Amino acid sequence: MTAEPTPQAAPRPHEAEEFRRRPLGRRLLAPLATLAVAGAAFTYVGLVDPNEPGHYPVCPLLRFTGLYCPGCGGLRSAHAVAHGDLATALDANALAVAGYAVCAALMAVWLVHAVRGRPTRIAPKPAWWWAIGALTALFAVVRNLPAGSALVP
């Protein structure tokens, strides 16, 4: 696989120059607002324990079929991350924790680019989306097999 950028990945020169001319506060508005929303969500999940019944709805797939979806345990893992307990978070949903890490890295890139006056465009090729989908499906299948019992929340 080559790392050639797709046509959407590279901003047009005039867009980049227009972005650079914006005041720092305006460039930081979108990434900081996104960070505030994500922080608020993690704060809420950190304060309202998903391990206690009645606070959050039950996963419909688990309720009606007894099968764990790829997201089962995601709230418990977010609660554990909010409390700094990485081992419990990985035990609840390792895929969700990997997703949190990827999102945090992308957030950091977005913030650094905004401070430096560089627009950020992330446009993965379709092969990446297929790989992410396949990994998620594999995770869902394996965690429902006897051999994958370690992945069960």
Side-chain angles (χ1 to χ4, degrees), residues 33-142:
T34 304
L35 188 59
V37 169
F42 267 89
T43 299
Y44 179 80
V45 174
L47 293 173
V48 181
D49 191 355
N51 294 303
E52 295 188 22
H55 293 294
Y56 300 98
V58 176
C59 172
L61 184 70
L62 180 62
R63 177 180 224 162
F64 295 118
T65 67
L67 297 173
Y68 295 102
C69 78
C72 280
L75 283 173
R76 284 175 287 209
S77 74
H79 179 77
V81 167
H83 288 273
D85 188 357
L86 189 59
T88 301
L90 286 167
D91 190 48
N93 190 323
L95 186 63
V97 175
Y100 307 149
V102 168
C103 287
L106 291 174
M107 190 74 233
V109 167
W110 191 11
L111 281 166
V112 168
H113 281 196
V115 168
R116 292 182 178 173
R118 296 172 46 200
T120 302
R121 267 190 211 206
I122 299 171
K125 291 184 177 188
W128 281 100
W129 290 115
W130 283 104
I132 291 167
L135 177 67
T136 304
L138 181 65
F139 179 76
V141 169
V142 169

